[in-house]
Amino acid sequence: MNTTWRNRTAVIAGAALILAGAAAVSAGASTVTSTTAVVATASAIDTATAKGLAFSREEERMARDLYRALADTYDGALPFSRIVNSEQRHYDAVGALLTRYGVTDPAVGRTAGSYADATIQKLYDGWLAEGKTSLAAAYGVGVALEKRDIADLKTAIAATSAADVKQLYTNLLKASEHHLAAFEAAVDGRTMGTGMGAAGMNGQGQMGRGPGNAQGSGQGNGQGRMGAGPGNGTGTVGDCPMVDSAS
């Protein structure tokens, strides 16, 4: 009987050791998980990338404000009145990344035409004054702004290693290239399709989102409402083809 009791005691003791070991392993796993999470958060983006996002937020807001002001000056003149909508989406997309990484938003508390960055403020003031002298001058302002934006975005893409930030800048770059083409066409007295190139001048039409019979990159020779599909005709410039995404 004493032997049986000793056996039972040994089994109970062994079970206790197993449970203690399992608890230790569980505690260790929790510690590793917690450490990994802290590291991931701490290495989100570097200071230079954060500053770049803040500057981009100001730059997109300035473009939106400037194009809106010029559209109002010239009774909704294209392409200003349509590109304003694109600039709003770009501004929102950059804002989403500011929120994701906890970067202070320089636009908070600022009204249209007022910027925290002195360089952006100077550009806005100068371009607005120039653009108000004539519609032709306003088109030239659009060209100048988009060229500067493209240069800044190329620099920003090269300077960051954050995949989501790089992707956003790449999308913004493509959009600015289409905007530039639209303003250059306006300077030359041409019209543009939605991100599809210069349209021909032999037809008349207005651009839309639905099916149409116009082709922005080809020669137009008919009348029709311009859509995203191929066809014949000309159309006015629409929104850029940027895939707005902060992911």
Side-chain angles (χ1 to χ4, degrees), residues 79-133:
F80 298 107
S81 58
R82 295 243 178 129
I83 293 181
V84 164
N85 298 326
S86 295
E87 298 299 347
Q88 179 64 51
R89 289 197 297 274
H90 304 170
Y91 170 75
D92 292 341
V94 177
L97 285 187
L98 293 183
T99 300
R100 175 179 295 178
Y101 292 116
V103 179
T104 300
D105 186 351
V108 173
R110 295 275 178 173
T111 58
S114 173
Y115 310 96
D117 188 283
T119 298
I120 295 294
Q121 186 68 61
K122 183 177 181 180
L123 287 172
Y124 176 84
D125 293 340
W127 278 334
L128 181 61
E130 181 181 349
K132 284 187 173 183
T133 60

mmCIF file of all heavy atoms in Angstrom, residues 79-133:
data_model
loop_
_atom_site.group_PDB
_atom_site.id
_atom_site.type_symbol
_atom_site.label_atom_id
_atom_site.label_comp_id
_atom_site.label_asym_id
_atom_site.label_seq_id
_atom_site.Cartn_x
_atom_site.Cartn_y
_atom_site.Cartn_z
ATOM 1 N N PRO A 79 -8.828 73.138 -67.712
ATOM 2 C CA PRO A 79 -9.045 71.950 -66.885
ATOM 3 C C PRO A 79 -9.078 72.204 -65.380
ATOM 4 O O PRO A 79 -9.196 71.265 -64.600
ATOM 5 C CB PRO A 79 -7.835 71.076 -67.236
ATOM 6 C CG PRO A 79 -6.743 72.068 -67.518
ATOM 7 C CD PRO A 79 -7.424 73.242 -68.179
ATOM 8 N N PHE A 80 -8.982 73.463 -64.952
ATOM 9 C CA PHE A 80 -8.904 73.767 -63.518
ATOM 10 C C PHE A 80 -10.051 73.156 -62.716
ATOM 11 O O PHE A 80 -9.832 72.500 -61.687
ATOM 12 C CB PHE A 80 -8.894 75.286 -63.300
ATOM 13 C CG PHE A 80 -7.731 75.986 -63.897
ATOM 14 C CD1 PHE A 80 -7.881 76.770 -65.032
ATOM 15 C CD2 PHE A 80 -6.463 75.855 -63.352
ATOM 16 C CE1 PHE A 80 -6.798 77.418 -65.598
ATOM 17 C CE2 PHE A 80 -5.377 76.498 -63.909
ATOM 18 C CZ PHE A 80 -5.540 77.279 -65.045
ATOM 19 N N SER A 81 -11.282 73.368 -63.175
ATOM 20 C CA SER A 81 -12.441 72.957 -62.391
ATOM 21 C C SER A 81 -12.530 71.453 -62.212
ATOM 22 O O SER A 81 -13.098 70.977 -61.221
ATOM 23 C CB SER A 81 -13.728 73.483 -63.036
ATOM 24 O OG SER A 81 -13.856 73.013 -64.363
ATOM 25 N N ARG A 82 -11.963 70.689 -63.141
ATOM 26 C CA ARG A 82 -12.000 69.226 -62.994
ATOM 27 C C ARG A 82 -10.815 68.707 -62.193
ATOM 28 O O ARG A 82 -10.941 67.776 -61.410
ATOM 29 C CB ARG A 82 -12.022 68.578 -64.381
ATOM 30 C CG ARG A 82 -13.286 68.897 -65.164
ATOM 31 C CD ARG A 82 -14.094 67.652 -65.454
ATOM 32 N NE ARG A 82 -15.323 67.997 -66.156
ATOM 33 C CZ ARG A 82 -15.720 67.417 -67.269
ATOM 34 N NH1 ARG A 82 -14.969 66.500 -67.840
ATOM 35 N NH2 ARG A 82 -16.864 67.752 -67.817
ATOM 36 N N ILE A 83 -9.665 69.304 -62.403
ATOM 37 C CA ILE A 83 -8.469 68.831 -61.702
ATOM 38 C C ILE A 83 -8.547 69.147 -60.211
ATOM 39 O O ILE A 83 -7.912 68.469 -59.391
ATOM 40 C CB ILE A 83 -7.200 69.422 -62.352
ATOM 41 C CG1 ILE A 83 -7.038 68.848 -63.770
ATOM 42 C CG2 ILE A 83 -5.953 69.116 -61.534
ATOM 43 C CD1 ILE A 83 -5.806 69.340 -64.522
ATOM 44 N N VAL A 84 -9.324 70.144 -59.832
ATOM 45 C CA VAL A 84 -9.544 70.425 -58.410
ATOM 46 C C VAL A 84 -10.002 69.163 -57.678
ATOM 47 O O VAL A 84 -9.549 68.877 -56.556
ATOM 48 C CB VAL A 84 -10.597 71.544 -58.236
ATOM 49 C CG1 VAL A 84 -11.129 71.571 -56.805
ATOM 50 C CG2 VAL A 84 -9.995 72.903 -58.570
ATOM 51 N N ASN A 85 -10.908 68.408 -58.296
ATOM 52 C CA ASN A 85 -11.412 67.186 -57.665
ATOM 53 C C ASN A 85 -10.308 66.159 -57.465
ATOM 54 O O ASN A 85 -10.259 65.461 -56.448
ATOM 55 C CB ASN A 85 -12.534 66.581 -58.518
ATOM 56 C CG ASN A 85 -13.727 67.493 -58.649
ATOM 57 O OD1 ASN A 85 -14.053 68.226 -57.718
ATOM 58 N ND2 ASN A 85 -14.386 67.470 -59.798
ATOM 59 N N SER A 86 -9.416 66.061 -58.441
ATOM 60 C CA SER A 86 -8.285 65.137 -58.316
ATOM 61 C C SER A 86 -7.364 65.561 -57.183
ATOM 62 O O SER A 86 -6.909 64.725 -56.386
ATOM 63 C CB SER A 86 -7.493 65.097 -59.630
ATOM 64 O OG SER A 86 -8.269 64.562 -60.672
ATOM 65 N N GLU A 87 -7.086 66.848 -57.110
ATOM 66 C CA GLU A 87 -6.190 67.336 -56.059
ATOM 67 C C GLU A 87 -6.772 67.079 -54.671
ATOM 68 O O GLU A 87 -6.032 66.825 -53.718
ATOM 69 C CB GLU A 87 -5.907 68.825 -56.250
ATOM 70 C CG GLU A 87 -5.197 69.182 -57.554
ATOM 71 C CD GLU A 87 -3.831 68.534 -57.705
ATOM 72 O OE1 GLU A 87 -3.292 68.002 -56.721
ATOM 73 O OE2 GLU A 87 -3.292 68.574 -58.819
ATOM 74 N N GLN A 88 -8.083 67.147 -54.552
ATOM 75 C CA GLN A 88 -8.710 66.836 -53.263
ATOM 76 C C GLN A 88 -8.462 65.380 -52.886
ATOM 77 O O GLN A 88 -8.163 65.073 -51.727
ATOM 78 C CB GLN A 88 -10.214 67.108 -53.327
ATOM 79 C CG GLN A 88 -10.957 66.790 -52.025
ATOM 80 C CD GLN A 88 -10.528 67.666 -50.871
ATOM 81 O OE1 GLN A 88 -10.508 68.896 -50.989
ATOM 82 N NE2 GLN A 88 -10.175 67.072 -49.738
ATOM 83 N N ARG A 89 -8.575 64.481 -53.852
ATOM 84 C CA ARG A 89 -8.311 63.063 -53.576
ATOM 85 C C ARG A 89 -6.849 62.837 -53.208
ATOM 86 O O ARG A 89 -6.541 62.031 -52.328
ATOM 87 C CB ARG A 89 -8.704 62.206 -54.781
ATOM 88 C CG ARG A 89 -10.202 62.099 -54.992
ATOM 89 C CD ARG A 89 -10.544 60.937 -55.916
ATOM 90 N NE ARG A 89 -9.992 61.119 -57.248
ATOM 91 C CZ ARG A 89 -10.599 61.791 -58.218
ATOM 92 N NH1 ARG A 89 -11.753 62.379 -57.999
ATOM 93 N NH2 ARG A 89 -10.043 61.885 -59.416
ATOM 94 N N HIS A 90 -5.954 63.532 -53.888
ATOM 95 C CA HIS A 90 -4.527 63.391 -53.573
ATOM 96 C C HIS A 90 -4.248 63.873 -52.144
ATOM 97 O O HIS A 90 -3.518 63.227 -51.384
ATOM 98 C CB HIS A 90 -3.678 64.218 -54.554
ATOM 99 C CG HIS A 90 -3.926 63.883 -55.984
ATOM 100 N ND1 HIS A 90 -3.416 64.642 -57.016
ATOM 101 C CD2 HIS A 90 -4.632 62.879 -56.565
ATOM 102 C CE1 HIS A 90 -3.794 64.111 -58.166
ATOM 103 N NE2 HIS A 90 -4.542 63.049 -57.920
ATOM 104 N N TYR A 91 -4.829 65.006 -51.816
ATOM 105 C CA TYR A 91 -4.693 65.584 -50.473
ATOM 106 C C TYR A 91 -5.201 64.605 -49.412
ATOM 107 O O TYR A 91 -4.551 64.378 -48.378
ATOM 108 C CB TYR A 91 -5.473 66.895 -50.446
ATOM 109 C CG TYR A 91 -5.655 67.534 -49.086
ATOM 110 C CD1 TYR A 91 -4.604 68.186 -48.446
ATOM 111 C CD2 TYR A 91 -6.900 67.500 -48.459
ATOM 112 C CE1 TYR A 91 -4.792 68.794 -47.215
ATOM 113 C CE2 TYR A 91 -7.089 68.110 -47.227
ATOM 114 C CZ TYR A 91 -6.036 68.757 -46.608
ATOM 115 O OH TYR A 91 -6.232 69.348 -45.394
ATOM 116 N N ASP A 92 -6.348 63.987 -49.678
ATOM 117 C CA ASP A 92 -6.925 63.021 -48.737
ATOM 118 C C ASP A 92 -6.048 61.777 -48.603
ATOM 119 O O ASP A 92 -5.896 61.223 -47.505
ATOM 120 C CB ASP A 92 -8.328 62.606 -49.190
ATOM 121 C CG ASP A 92 -9.340 63.733 -49.083
ATOM 122 O OD1 ASP A 92 -9.081 64.707 -48.352
ATOM 123 O OD2 ASP A 92 -10.394 63.652 -49.752
ATOM 124 N N ALA A 93 -5.474 61.330 -49.713
ATOM 125 C CA ALA A 93 -4.635 60.126 -49.694
ATOM 126 C C ALA A 93 -3.379 60.347 -48.857
ATOM 127 O O ALA A 93 -2.971 59.482 -48.078
ATOM 128 C CB ALA A 93 -4.253 59.725 -51.123
ATOM 129 N N VAL A 94 -2.761 61.515 -49.002
ATOM 130 C CA VAL A 94 -1.590 61.825 -48.176
ATOM 131 C C VAL A 94 -2.004 61.931 -46.716
ATOM 132 O O VAL A 94 -1.299 61.452 -45.814
ATOM 133 C CB VAL A 94 -0.922 63.132 -48.641
ATOM 134 C CG1 VAL A 94 0.249 63.477 -47.721
ATOM 135 C CG2 VAL A 94 -0.432 63.015 -50.080
ATOM 136 N N GLY A 95 -3.156 62.518 -46.462
ATOM 137 C CA GLY A 95 -3.652 62.648 -45.094
ATOM 138 C C GLY A 95 -3.842 61.303 -44.414
ATOM 139 O O GLY A 95 -3.604 61.173 -43.209
ATOM 140 N N ALA A 96 -4.260 60.303 -45.181
ATOM 141 C CA ALA A 96 -4.457 58.966 -44.612
ATOM 142 C C ALA A 96 -3.137 58.396 -44.093
ATOM 143 O O ALA A 96 -3.097 57.735 -43.047
ATOM 144 C CB ALA A 96 -5.061 58.037 -45.659
ATOM 145 N N LEU A 97 -2.049 58.670 -44.804
ATOM 146 C CA LEU A 97 -0.745 58.181 -44.341
ATOM 147 C C LEU A 97 -0.239 58.990 -43.152
ATOM 148 O O LEU A 97 0.447 58.448 -42.274
ATOM 149 C CB LEU A 97 0.273 58.219 -45.475
ATOM 150 C CG LEU A 97 0.126 57.133 -46.544
ATOM 151 C CD1 LEU A 97 1.300 57.170 -47.511
ATOM 152 C CD2 LEU A 97 0.008 55.748 -45.926
ATOM 153 N N LEU A 98 -0.556 60.266 -43.101
ATOM 154 C CA LEU A 98 -0.202 61.050 -41.916
ATOM 155 C C LEU A 98 -0.857 60.448 -40.677
ATOM 156 O O LEU A 98 -0.227 60.314 -39.622
ATOM 157 C CB LEU A 98 -0.663 62.504 -42.082
ATOM 158 C CG LEU A 98 0.019 63.366 -43.147
ATOM 159 C CD1 LEU A 98 -0.522 64.786 -43.098
ATOM 160 C CD2 LEU A 98 1.524 63.379 -42.977
ATOM 161 N N THR A 99 -2.115 60.077 -40.825
ATOM 162 C CA THR A 99 -2.841 59.463 -39.711
ATOM 163 C C THR A 99 -2.256 58.106 -39.356
ATOM 164 O O THR A 99 -2.072 57.781 -38.180
ATOM 165 C CB THR A 99 -4.329 59.306 -40.074
ATOM 166 O OG1 THR A 99 -4.886 60.598 -40.341
ATOM 167 C CG2 THR A 99 -5.100 58.644 -38.943
ATOM 168 N N ARG A 100 -1.945 57.323 -40.367
ATOM 169 C CA ARG A 100 -1.409 55.969 -40.135
ATOM 170 C C ARG A 100 -0.127 56.010 -39.313
ATOM 171 O O ARG A 100 0.074 55.186 -38.422
ATOM 172 C CB ARG A 100 -1.140 55.284 -41.474
ATOM 173 C CG ARG A 100 -0.457 53.920 -41.343
ATOM 174 C CD ARG A 100 -0.233 53.284 -42.704
ATOM 175 N NE ARG A 100 -1.506 52.981 -43.361
ATOM 176 C CZ ARG A 100 -1.593 52.461 -44.583
ATOM 177 N NH1 ARG A 100 -0.496 52.198 -45.275
ATOM 178 N NH2 ARG A 100 -2.766 52.209 -45.110
ATOM 179 N N TYR A 101 0.728 56.969 -39.598
ATOM 180 C CA TYR A 101 2.030 57.015 -38.942
ATOM 181 C C TYR A 101 2.130 58.071 -37.836
ATOM 182 O O TYR A 101 3.212 58.299 -37.300
ATOM 183 C CB TYR A 101 3.125 57.248 -39.990
ATOM 184 C CG TYR A 101 3.286 56.065 -40.916
ATOM 185 C CD1 TYR A 101 3.019 56.178 -42.282
ATOM 186 C CD2 TYR A 101 3.680 54.821 -40.421
ATOM 187 C CE1 TYR A 101 3.152 55.086 -43.128
ATOM 188 C CE2 TYR A 101 3.821 53.725 -41.260
ATOM 189 C CZ TYR A 101 3.560 53.864 -42.611
ATOM 190 O OH TYR A 101 3.682 52.777 -43.440
ATOM 191 N N GLY A 102 1.013 58.695 -37.511
ATOM 192 C CA GLY A 102 1.012 59.653 -36.414
ATOM 193 C C GLY A 102 1.813 60.908 -36.695
ATOM 194 O O GLY A 102 2.382 61.510 -35.782
ATOM 195 N N VAL A 103 1.857 61.316 -37.972
ATOM 196 C CA VAL A 103 2.593 62.519 -38.352
ATOM 197 C C VAL A 103 1.667 63.734 -38.201
ATOM 198 O O VAL A 103 0.508 63.698 -38.624
ATOM 199 C CB VAL A 103 3.089 62.434 -39.812
ATOM 200 C CG1 VAL A 103 3.824 63.713 -40.205
ATOM 201 C CG2 VAL A 103 3.987 61.212 -39.985
ATOM 202 N N THR A 104 2.165 64.792 -37.611
ATOM 203 C CA THR A 104 1.367 66.004 -37.420
ATOM 204 C C THR A 104 0.940 66.585 -38.762
ATOM 205 O O THR A 104 1.762 66.756 -39.667
ATOM 206 C CB THR A 104 2.178 67.073 -36.649
ATOM 207 O OG1 THR A 104 2.546 66.546 -35.376
ATOM 208 C CG2 THR A 104 1.352 68.330 -36.450
ATOM 209 N N ASP A 105 -0.345 66.883 -38.886
ATOM 210 C CA ASP A 105 -0.900 67.415 -40.130
ATOM 211 C C ASP A 105 -0.702 68.937 -40.176
ATOM 212 O O ASP A 105 -1.284 69.664 -39.366
ATOM 213 C CB ASP A 105 -2.387 67.082 -40.211
ATOM 214 C CG ASP A 105 -3.002 67.463 -41.544
ATOM 215 O OD1 ASP A 105 -2.330 68.131 -42.354
ATOM 216 O OD2 ASP A 105 -4.171 67.084 -41.784
ATOM 217 N N PRO A 106 0.092 69.445 -41.114
ATOM 218 C CA PRO A 106 0.334 70.885 -41.188
ATOM 219 C C PRO A 106 -0.886 71.686 -41.639
ATOM 220 O O PRO A 106 -0.896 72.917 -41.537
ATOM 221 C CB PRO A 106 1.466 70.996 -42.217
ATOM 222 C CG PRO A 106 1.279 69.795 -43.096
ATOM 223 C CD PRO A 106 0.822 68.707 -42.169
ATOM 224 N N ALA A 107 -1.918 70.983 -42.127
ATOM 225 C CA ALA A 107 -3.106 71.674 -42.637
ATOM 226 C C ALA A 107 -4.112 72.011 -41.540
ATOM 227 O O ALA A 107 -5.033 72.807 -41.764
ATOM 228 C CB ALA A 107 -3.788 70.817 -43.702
ATOM 229 N N VAL A 108 -3.941 71.415 -40.367
ATOM 230 C CA VAL A 108 -4.908 71.634 -39.282
ATOM 231 C C VAL A 108 -4.988 73.111 -38.913
ATOM 232 O O VAL A 108 -3.964 73.757 -38.671
ATOM 233 C CB VAL A 108 -4.525 70.799 -38.039
ATOM 234 C CG1 VAL A 108 -5.419 71.166 -36.858
ATOM 235 C CG2 VAL A 108 -4.634 69.311 -38.338
ATOM 236 N N GLY A 109 -6.214 73.636 -38.901
ATOM 237 C CA GLY A 109 -6.423 75.021 -38.514
ATOM 238 C C GLY A 109 -6.120 76.039 -39.599
ATOM 239 O O GLY A 109 -6.197 77.249 -39.364
ATOM 240 N N ARG A 110 -5.765 75.577 -40.803
ATOM 241 C CA ARG A 110 -5.404 76.482 -41.896
ATOM 242 C C ARG A 110 -6.565 76.639 -42.877
ATOM 243 O O ARG A 110 -7.244 75.667 -43.213
ATOM 244 C CB ARG A 110 -4.199 75.933 -42.650
ATOM 245 C CG ARG A 110 -2.927 75.872 -41.817
ATOM 246 C CD ARG A 110 -2.205 77.202 -41.830
ATOM 247 N NE ARG A 110 -1.012 77.185 -41.000
ATOM 248 C CZ ARG A 110 -0.143 78.173 -40.958
ATOM 249 N NH1 ARG A 110 -0.322 79.260 -41.706
ATOM 250 N NH2 ARG A 110 0.901 78.110 -40.162
ATOM 251 N N THR A 111 -6.768 77.840 -43.353
ATOM 252 C CA THR A 111 -7.778 78.096 -44.365
ATOM 253 C C THR A 111 -7.151 78.009 -45.747
ATOM 254 O O THR A 111 -5.916 77.988 -45.881
ATOM 255 C CB THR A 111 -8.402 79.488 -44.173
ATOM 256 O OG1 THR A 111 -7.359 80.474 -44.235
ATOM 257 C CG2 THR A 111 -9.112 79.585 -42.835
ATOM 258 N N ALA A 112 -7.981 77.957 -46.783
ATOM 259 C CA ALA A 112 -7.475 77.896 -48.155
ATOM 260 C C ALA A 112 -6.573 79.096 -48.432
ATOM 261 O O ALA A 112 -6.908 80.238 -48.110
ATOM 262 C CB ALA A 112 -8.642 77.885 -49.130
ATOM 263 N N GLY A 113 -5.401 78.823 -49.010
ATOM 264 C CA GLY A 113 -4.460 79.889 -49.328
ATOM 265 C C GLY A 113 -3.496 80.217 -48.215
ATOM 266 O O GLY A 113 -2.647 81.103 -48.361
ATOM 267 N N SER A 114 -3.585 79.491 -47.085
ATOM 268 C CA SER A 114 -2.687 79.718 -45.953
ATOM 269 C C SER A 114 -1.929 78.427 -45.651
ATOM 270 O O SER A 114 -2.550 77.374 -45.452
ATOM 271 C CB SER A 114 -3.491 80.140 -44.719
ATOM 272 O OG SER A 114 -2.660 80.212 -43.566
ATOM 273 N N TYR A 115 -0.586 78.500 -45.602
ATOM 274 C CA TYR A 115 0.236 77.292 -45.482
ATOM 275 C C TYR A 115 1.321 77.458 -44.423
ATOM 276 O O TYR A 115 1.886 78.547 -44.272
ATOM 277 C CB TYR A 115 0.865 76.946 -46.840
ATOM 278 C CG TYR A 115 -0.174 76.929 -47.924
ATOM 279 C CD1 TYR A 115 -0.380 78.058 -48.715
ATOM 280 C CD2 TYR A 115 -1.004 75.834 -48.104
ATOM 281 C CE1 TYR A 115 -1.374 78.082 -49.671
ATOM 282 C CE2 TYR A 115 -2.002 75.851 -49.057
ATOM 283 C CZ TYR A 115 -2.197 76.973 -49.839
ATOM 284 O OH TYR A 115 -3.193 77.007 -50.768
ATOM 285 N N ALA A 116 1.594 76.377 -43.722
ATOM 286 C CA ALA A 116 2.620 76.389 -42.682
ATOM 287 C C ALA A 116 4.017 76.492 -43.289
ATOM 288 O O ALA A 116 4.927 77.066 -42.697
ATOM 289 C CB ALA A 116 2.501 75.134 -41.823
ATOM 290 N N ASP A 117 4.192 75.921 -44.490
ATOM 291 C CA ASP A 117 5.488 75.925 -45.152
ATOM 292 C C ASP A 117 5.665 77.238 -45.917
ATOM 293 O O ASP A 117 4.870 77.579 -46.798
ATOM 294 C CB ASP A 117 5.593 74.737 -46.115
ATOM 295 C CG ASP A 117 6.979 74.572 -46.683
ATOM 296 O OD1 ASP A 117 7.331 75.351 -47.598
ATOM 297 O OD2 ASP A 117 7.708 73.668 -46.239
ATOM 298 N N ALA A 118 6.728 77.973 -45.603
ATOM 299 C CA ALA A 118 6.963 79.284 -46.212
ATOM 300 C C ALA A 118 7.174 79.204 -47.723
ATOM 301 O O ALA A 118 6.734 80.080 -48.476
ATOM 302 C CB ALA A 118 8.170 79.957 -45.558
ATOM 303 N N THR A 119 7.821 78.136 -48.181
ATOM 304 C CA THR A 119 8.059 77.965 -49.619
ATOM 305 C C THR A 119 6.743 77.773 -50.355
ATOM 306 O O THR A 119 6.512 78.374 -51.413
ATOM 307 C CB THR A 119 8.982 76.759 -49.867
ATOM 308 O OG1 THR A 119 10.246 76.988 -49.243
ATOM 309 C CG2 THR A 119 9.192 76.543 -51.353
ATOM 310 N N ILE A 120 5.878 76.926 -49.794
ATOM 311 C CA ILE A 120 4.568 76.686 -50.400
ATOM 312 C C ILE A 120 3.750 77.980 -50.429
ATOM 313 O O ILE A 120 3.085 78.294 -51.422
ATOM 314 C CB ILE A 120 3.806 75.597 -49.621
ATOM 315 C CG1 ILE A 120 4.530 74.246 -49.738
ATOM 316 C CG2 ILE A 120 2.370 75.470 -50.121
ATOM 317 C CD1 ILE A 120 4.546 73.667 -51.121
ATOM 318 N N GLN A 121 3.814 78.741 -49.347
ATOM 319 C CA GLN A 121 3.060 79.995 -49.284
ATOM 320 C C GLN A 121 3.519 80.964 -50.376
ATOM 321 O O GLN A 121 2.692 81.601 -51.046
ATOM 322 C CB GLN A 121 3.238 80.632 -47.908
ATOM 323 C CG GLN A 121 2.371 81.869 -47.683
ATOM 324 C CD GLN A 121 0.895 81.534 -47.623
ATOM 325 O OE1 GLN A 121 0.448 80.791 -46.763
ATOM 326 N NE2 GLN A 121 0.128 82.086 -48.562
ATOM 327 N N LYS A 122 4.813 81.085 -50.552
ATOM 328 C CA LYS A 122 5.359 81.994 -51.558
ATOM 329 C C LYS A 122 4.942 81.568 -52.960
ATOM 330 O O LYS A 122 4.585 82.409 -53.808
ATOM 331 C CB LYS A 122 6.882 82.037 -51.444
ATOM 332 C CG LYS A 122 7.535 83.027 -52.402
ATOM 333 C CD LYS A 122 9.037 83.080 -52.180
ATOM 334 C CE LYS A 122 9.699 84.080 -53.122
ATOM 335 N NZ LYS A 122 11.177 84.145 -52.915
ATOM 336 N N LEU A 123 4.979 80.273 -53.221
ATOM 337 C CA LEU A 123 4.567 79.761 -54.534
ATOM 338 C C LEU A 123 3.098 80.064 -54.795
ATOM 339 O O LEU A 123 2.729 80.522 -55.885
ATOM 340 C CB LEU A 123 4.814 78.253 -54.613
ATOM 341 C CG LEU A 123 6.269 77.797 -54.736
ATOM 342 C CD1 LEU A 123 6.361 76.286 -54.601
ATOM 343 C CD2 LEU A 123 6.861 78.244 -56.068
ATOM 344 N N TYR A 124 2.270 79.814 -53.805
ATOM 345 C CA TYR A 124 0.830 80.058 -53.974
ATOM 346 C C TYR A 124 0.562 81.532 -54.277
ATOM 347 O O TYR A 124 -0.161 81.856 -55.233
ATOM 348 C CB TYR A 124 0.077 79.648 -52.709
ATOM 349 C CG TYR A 124 -1.407 79.962 -52.777
ATOM 350 C CD1 TYR A 124 -2.298 79.085 -53.385
ATOM 351 C CD2 TYR A 124 -1.906 81.151 -52.240
ATOM 352 C CE1 TYR A 124 -3.658 79.385 -53.461
ATOM 353 C CE2 TYR A 124 -3.260 81.455 -52.318
ATOM 354 C CZ TYR A 124 -4.134 80.573 -52.928
ATOM 355 O OH TYR A 124 -5.470 80.881 -53.011
ATOM 356 N N ASP A 125 1.126 82.414 -53.493
ATOM 357 C CA ASP A 125 0.891 83.846 -53.669
ATOM 358 C C ASP A 125 1.345 84.318 -55.054
ATOM 359 O O ASP A 125 0.640 85.071 -55.734
ATOM 360 C CB ASP A 125 1.620 84.636 -52.583
ATOM 361 C CG ASP A 125 1.041 84.393 -51.191
ATOM 362 O OD1 ASP A 125 -0.116 83.940 -51.100
ATOM 363 O OD2 ASP A 125 1.758 84.658 -50.206
ATOM 364 N N GLY A 126 2.521 83.872 -55.453
ATOM 365 C CA GLY A 126 3.055 84.290 -56.747
ATOM 366 C C GLY A 126 2.251 83.744 -57.913
ATOM 367 O O GLY A 126 1.931 84.473 -58.869
ATOM 368 N N TRP A 127 1.924 82.454 -57.850
ATOM 369 C CA TRP A 127 1.167 81.835 -58.935
ATOM 370 C C TRP A 127 -0.257 82.375 -59.028
ATOM 371 O O TRP A 127 -0.791 82.534 -60.120
ATOM 372 C CB TRP A 127 1.166 80.321 -58.759
ATOM 373 C CG TRP A 127 2.413 79.668 -59.273
ATOM 374 C CD1 TRP A 127 3.246 80.135 -60.261
ATOM 375 C CD2 TRP A 127 2.970 78.428 -58.848
ATOM 376 N NE1 TRP A 127 4.281 79.256 -60.476
ATOM 377 C CE2 TRP A 127 4.139 78.193 -59.623
ATOM 378 C CE3 TRP A 127 2.601 77.482 -57.892
ATOM 379 C CZ2 TRP A 127 4.926 77.060 -59.473
ATOM 380 C CZ3 TRP A 127 3.387 76.346 -57.738
ATOM 381 C CH2 TRP A 127 4.545 76.136 -58.520
ATOM 382 N N LEU A 128 -0.871 82.654 -57.896
ATOM 383 C CA LEU A 128 -2.232 83.188 -57.918
ATOM 384 C C LEU A 128 -2.245 84.562 -58.582
ATOM 385 O O LEU A 128 -3.114 84.855 -59.425
ATOM 386 C CB LEU A 128 -2.795 83.279 -56.502
ATOM 387 C CG LEU A 128 -4.241 83.802 -56.403
ATOM 388 C CD1 LEU A 128 -5.197 82.896 -57.155
ATOM 389 C CD2 LEU A 128 -4.651 83.932 -54.933
ATOM 390 N N ALA A 129 -1.303 85.406 -58.212
ATOM 391 C CA ALA A 129 -1.227 86.745 -58.808
ATOM 392 C C ALA A 129 -0.982 86.653 -60.311
ATOM 393 O O ALA A 129 -1.611 87.376 -61.109
ATOM 394 C CB ALA A 129 -0.116 87.543 -58.135
ATOM 395 N N GLU A 130 -0.084 85.765 -60.701
ATOM 396 C CA GLU A 130 0.221 85.594 -62.131
ATOM 397 C C GLU A 130 -0.980 85.040 -62.881
ATOM 398 O O GLU A 130 -1.329 85.514 -63.974
ATOM 399 C CB GLU A 130 1.416 84.656 -62.295
ATOM 400 C CG GLU A 130 1.830 84.431 -63.742
ATOM 401 C CD GLU A 130 3.009 83.475 -63.877
ATOM 402 O OE1 GLU A 130 3.632 83.157 -62.837
ATOM 403 O OE2 GLU A 130 3.302 83.059 -65.013
ATOM 404 N N GLY A 131 -1.625 84.035 -62.295
ATOM 405 C CA GLY A 131 -2.756 83.397 -62.960
ATOM 406 C C GLY A 131 -3.948 84.301 -63.156
ATOM 407 O O GLY A 131 -4.734 84.116 -64.091
ATOM 408 N N LYS A 132 -4.080 85.297 -62.322
ATOM 409 C CA LYS A 132 -5.221 86.209 -62.424
ATOM 410 C C LYS A 132 -5.041 87.279 -63.503
ATOM 411 O O LYS A 132 -5.980 88.025 -63.796
ATOM 412 C CB LYS A 132 -5.476 86.875 -61.068
ATOM 413 C CG LYS A 132 -6.152 85.955 -60.059
ATOM 414 C CD LYS A 132 -6.531 86.697 -58.786
ATOM 415 C CE LYS A 132 -7.354 85.817 -57.854
ATOM 416 N NZ LYS A 132 -7.783 86.543 -56.637
ATOM 417 N N THR A 133 -3.867 87.344 -64.110
ATOM 418 C CA THR A 133 -3.637 88.349 -65.144
ATOM 419 C C THR A 133 -4.345 87.991 -66.454
ATOM 420 O O THR A 133 -4.777 88.877 -67.192
ATOM 421 C CB THR A 133 -2.139 88.544 -65.414
ATOM 422 O OG1 THR A 133 -1.571 87.298 -65.861
ATOM 423 C CG2 THR A 133 -1.423 89.001 -64.148
#
